[in-house]
C-alpha cells in the first residue's frame, strides 16, 4: 500500500503504462494526464500491433470469398465473435451482433424489437440517469407507436429508487432499458434485480453496458437480461466497433433493422427472405479490422484480469473521492454506494467548460459538459459537471495533480 492508500500490489501500473504509447506524451510541456476514459480509452500496443498485422498481412473480406485470404479473415472475424461471447458470458456465439457501438446497438433494438413487439398503449421504462443513446431511441419509438415512456427516479446520491421502479412496472411494460454504469455519475445499477423484476411482469430488459464492459466482469446469463450493449472504443479496442448480446430466442423473433447484402437468405425481384441472427442484423461489409482489434483488446484485458482491474480502479476511486471531499467549493455529483471509477463534480466558482480549459493548461484531459445526459444534469440542478474518469493505467499521483489543478482553478475564478 502506497502512502496514498491506493493498493500498489494489485497491478504493476508502471509496466502497464508502457503498453500504451500515447501515455508517454507531453501536453503543453506537461506530462499527459488522461482522465477522460469514460468518453474513450487508449489502445495498448497489443491492439495497435494486431490491427497493423491484420491489415498488412491478413486483410480480406468476410463471409463471401472462397479464396484463402477471405476464408482466413472470416475465421478470424468469427473467432473474435466467440471471444466477445465468452467475455460477456453468452451461451452462444451467434447471440453477439456487431454494430458500430452502443448507440447503433440501442437503435437497432429499439427499432426492431419495437416494430415487432411495441404497440399503442404499451410502456417502456428507462431511468433518469441514462445517456441520450439510451433515451432518444425509446422516445422516438414511443412517439411512433403511441407507447408511453416512464422514468425511474433517482435519489440525491444518484441511486435508482427501486420502490418507484416497482410501481412503474405493469403488464403494459414491454421493455426496461437502463445502464449498468452511469457515465455521468458512476452509479453501478442493480441490473440483476432490475431484470428479475421486469421479467416478473413479462417485460424484456436491455442493459446499456457502454461504461461497464471494461471495468467490471460481465455475465449476461447471470444478469439474465435480454440485451446487453458495449462499445469497443471504451474497452481499449479501436473505434467504430461495438455490439449487442441478445438472447437467441428474442433475436429470432425480430425483423431486420438495416437491410441489404449479407443479411438475406434469398432475394428475388418480388421478395426477400432474411438470414438467421446474427447475420440478419449485420447488413453490408462489417468493420473487419476493428473486429479483429476488439478480439485483441479482450485478450489484453483478460491477460490483466477484470477482477484486478476492478479492484485497482475502486482503490483509485476511493482515493480520488477522499481528495475531492477535502476541496472547499467542490461538490461531487453522484455519491452512490456502488460506484465505478468516475468522479463528477461541480463548483459554483466556474462553469465546467472553463474548468477543463484550465486543467488542459496543466496537461490534464478531463471532460466538462452534460455528458450526453441532460436529464441527469436537470435532476441535480447543474448545467454540466467536470468529470474525471479513471482507467487501470491511471496513477494516484495523477489524481493529486488533478486536485491541485482544481484548487488553482478555484483561486483563479474566486
Ligand atoms: N451509453 C453510455 C452509458 C455511454 O457512456 C455512452 C458513450 N459515452 C453511450 C451509451 C454511447 O456509446 P457510443 O458513443 O460508443 O455509441
Amino acid at each position: 500500500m502506497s502512502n496514498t492508500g491506493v493498493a500498489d500490489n494489485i497491478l504493476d501500473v508502471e509496466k502497464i503504462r508502457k503498453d500504451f504509447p500515447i501515455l508517454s506524451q507531453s501536453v503543453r510541456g506537461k506530462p499527459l494526464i488522461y482522465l477522460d476514459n469514460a468518453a474513450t480509452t487508449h489502445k495498448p500496443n497489443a491492439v495497435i500491433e494486431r490491427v497493423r498485422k491484420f491489415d498488412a498481412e491478413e486483410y480480406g473480406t468476410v463471409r463471401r470469398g472462397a479464396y484463402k485470404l477471405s476464408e482466413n479473415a472470416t475465421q478470424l472475424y468469427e473467432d473474435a465473435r466467440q471471444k466477445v461471447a465468452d467475455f460477456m458470458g453468452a451461451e452462444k456465439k451467434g447471440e453477439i451482433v456487431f454494430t458500430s457501438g452502443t448507440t447503433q446497438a440501442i437503435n437497432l433494438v429499439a427499432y426492431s424489437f419495437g416494430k415487432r413487439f411495441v404497440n399503442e398503449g404499451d410502456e417502456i421504462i428507462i431511468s433518469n440517469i441514462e445517456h441520450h443513446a439510451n433515451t432518444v431511441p425509446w422516445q422516438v419509438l414511443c412517439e411512433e407507436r403511441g407507447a408511453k415512456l416512464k422514468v425511474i427516479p433517482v435519489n440525491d446520491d444518484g441511486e435508482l429508487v427501486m420502490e418507484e421502479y416497482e410501481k412503474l412496472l405493469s403488464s403494459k411494460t414491454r421493455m426496461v432499458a437502463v445502464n449498468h454504469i452511469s457515465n455521468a455519475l458512476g452509479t453501478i445499477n442493480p441490473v440483476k434485480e432490475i431484470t428479475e423484476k421486469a421479467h416478473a411482469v413479462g417485460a424484456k430488459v436491455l442493459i446499456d453496458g457502454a461504461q461497464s464492459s471494461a471495468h467490471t466482469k460481465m455475465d449476461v446469463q447471470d444478469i439474465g437480461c435480454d440485451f446487453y450493449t458495449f462499445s469497443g472504443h471504451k474497452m481499449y479496442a479501436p473505434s467504430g466497433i461495438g455490439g449487442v448480446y441478445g438472447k437467441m430466442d428474442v433475436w429470432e423473433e425480430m425483423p431486420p433493422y438495416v437491410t441489404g447484402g449479407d443479411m438475406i437468405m434469398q432475394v428475388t425481384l418480388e421478395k426477400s427472405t432474411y438470414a438467421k441472427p446474427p447475420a440478419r442484423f449485420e447488413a453490408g461489409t462489417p468493420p473487419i479490422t476493428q473486429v479483429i482489434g476488439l478480439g485483441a483488446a479482450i485478450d489484453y484485458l483478460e491477460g490483466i484480469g477484470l477482477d484486478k482491474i476492478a479492484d485497482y480502479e475502486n482503490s483509485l476511486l476511493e482515493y480520488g473521492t477522499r481528495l475531492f471531499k477535502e476541496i472547499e467549493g467542490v461538490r461531487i455529483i453522484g455519491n452512490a454506494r456502488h460506484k465505478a471509477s468516475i468522479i463528477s463534480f461541480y463548483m459554483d466558482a466556474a462553469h465546467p467548460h472553463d474548468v477543463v480549459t484550465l486543467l488542459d493548461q496543466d496537461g490534464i484531459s478531463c471532460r466538462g459538459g452534460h455528458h450526453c445526459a441532460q436529464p441527469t444534469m436537470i435532476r441535480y440542478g447543474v448545467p454540466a459537471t467536470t468529470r474525471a474518469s479513471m482507467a487501470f493505467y491511471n496513477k494516484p499521483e495523477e489524481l493529486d495533480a488533478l486536485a491541485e489543478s482544481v484548487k488553482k482553478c478555484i483561486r483563479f475564478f474566486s
Side-chain angles (χ1 to χ4, degrees), residues 38 101-104 131 133 179 181 183 208 210-211 231 233-234:
T102 291
T103 302
Q104 199 196 8
H131 190 279
N179 60 50
I181 296 179
N183 68 308
D208 168 356
Q211 289 300 332
S231 292
H233 70 98
K234 293 184 199 282

Side-chain angles (χ1 to χ4, degrees), residues 7 42 77 120 126 157-158 160-161 218 221 228 245 249 338 383:
H42 289 299
Y77 181 85
E120 197 167 344
I126 60 168
D157 287 331
L160 302 191
V161 184
M218 264 182 293
Q221 287 189 77
Y228 194 108
Y245 153 85
D249 58 333
H338 301 289

Side-chain angles (χ1 to χ4, degrees), residues 225-396:
C225 57
D226 302 278
F227 300 98
Y228 194 108
T229 67
F230 63 95
S231 292
H233 70 98
K234 293 184 199 282
M235 45 194 291
Y236 313 94
S239 54
I241 183 64
V244 49
Y245 153 85
K247 282 184 182 157
M248 188 48 89
D249 58 333
V250 188
W251 277 137
E252 276 170 352
E253 294 295 312
M254 287 167 51
Y257 171 47
V258 177
T259 56
D262 279 339
M263 51 70 68
I264 50 86
M265 187 100 82
Q266 197 176 21
V267 177
T268 66
L269 288 177
E270 289 72 37
K271 186 173 167 55
S272 301
T273 51
Y274 309 130
K276 286 187 175 311
R280 186 186 302 163
F281 304 102
E282 290 183 2
T285 305
I288 307 166
T289 307
Q290 288 78 356
V291 167
I292 306 305
L294 174 64
I298 288 176
D299 286 343
Y300 179 78
L301 286 172
E302 284 182 333
I304 295 175
L306 258 292
D307 288 338
K308 285 188 183 170
I309 288 173
D311 286 349
Y312 178 72
E313 290 180 354
N314 284 341
S315 197
L316 269 184
L317 173 70
E318 270 173 36
Y319 179 60
T321 306
R322 245 187 297 133
L323 283 181
F324 271 78
K325 282 197 166 153
E326 282 163 15
I327 306 176
E328 212 173 306
V330 162
R331 176 159 56 104
I332 295 180
I333 311 288
N335 290 291
R337 275 160 297 166
H338 301 289
K339 250 189 95 168
S341 49
I342 288 174
I343 301 176
S344 235
F345 60 93
Y346 188 74
M347 53 174 96
D348 289 322
H351 190 282
H353 287 163
D354 295 324
V355 176
V356 292
T357 307
L358 282 192
L359 294 180
D360 185 50
Q361 300 301 311
D362 287 337
I364 302 173
S365 306
C366 261
R367 175 61 68 91
H370 54 61
H371 317 295
C372 298
Q374 283 180 322
T376 311
M377 300 297 117
I378 292 168
R379 164 63 179 84
Y380 293 100
V382 289
T385 70
T386 307
R387 181 186 69 186
S389 51
M390 295 150 269
F392 56 86
Y393 46 54
N394 288 121
K395 302 183 284 187

Side-chain angles (χ1 to χ4, degrees), residues 48-234:
I48 297 169
E49 179 48 32
R50 184 68 194 94
V51 163
R52 193 210 61 78
K53 184 173 185 297
F54 180 73
D55 277 344
E57 300 169 21
E58 301 162 298
Y59 184 76
T61 193
V62 292
R63 302 194 287 231
R64 264 167 277 182
Y67 51 88
K68 189 80 186 107
L69 273 180
S70 177
E71 274 173 9
N72 190 40
T74 304
Q75 186 62 50
L76 292 170
Y77 181 85
E78 290 304 324
D79 288 350
R81 194 192 304 276
Q82 184 67 58
K83 273 182 202 176
V84 174
D86 294 341
F87 187 69
M88 297 180 85
E91 190 190 341
K92 304 182 188 99
K93 157 174 103 98
E95 292 178 318
I96 307 301
V97 168
F98 288 125
T99 65
S100 62
T102 291
T103 302
Q104 199 196 8
I106 298 175
N107 274 276
L108 183 170
V109 175
Y111 175 91
S112 172
F113 178 88
K115 192 169 175 186
R116 173 80 175 74
F117 293 109
V118 178
N119 295 304
E120 197 167 344
D122 287 345
E123 293 177 356
I124 308 284
I125 297 178
I126 60 168
S127 88
N128 199 170
I129 51 170
E130 297 307 317
H131 190 279
H132 296 163
N134 197 30
T135 303
V136 186
W138 303 113
Q139 284 175 336
V140 170
L141 171 67
C142 286
E143 258 171 47
E144 280 176 0
R145 311 294 290 186
K148 201 164 175 196
L149 192 66
K150 300 217 152 176
V151 181
I152 310 169
V154 279
N155 65 21
D156 290 345
D157 287 331
E159 295 163 331
L160 302 191
V161 184
M162 293 299 280
E163 306 81 65
E164 295 300 321
Y165 167 54
E166 283 175 45
K167 287 186 206 156
L168 296 179
L169 287 165
S170 78
S171 58
K172 291 188 204 157
T173 315
R174 292 287 156 268
M175 174 69 80
V176 176
V178 292
N179 60 50
H180 195 164
I181 296 179
S182 147
N183 68 308
L185 309 180
T187 308
I188 302 178
N189 286 317
V191 286
K192 191 170 174 174
E193 190 186 340
I194 289 170
T195 302
E196 281 166 5
K197 294 203 153 81
H199 283 171
V201 297
K204 301 291 184 215
V205 176
L206 176 140
I207 305 296
D208 168 356
Q211 289 300 332
S212 42
S213 0
H215 299 284
T216 45
K217 222 182 173 112
M218 264 182 293
D219 188 339
V220 290
Q221 287 189 77
D222 180 55
I223 296 169
C225 57
D226 302 278
F227 300 98
Y228 194 108
T229 67
F230 63 95
S231 292
H233 70 98
K234 293 184 199 282

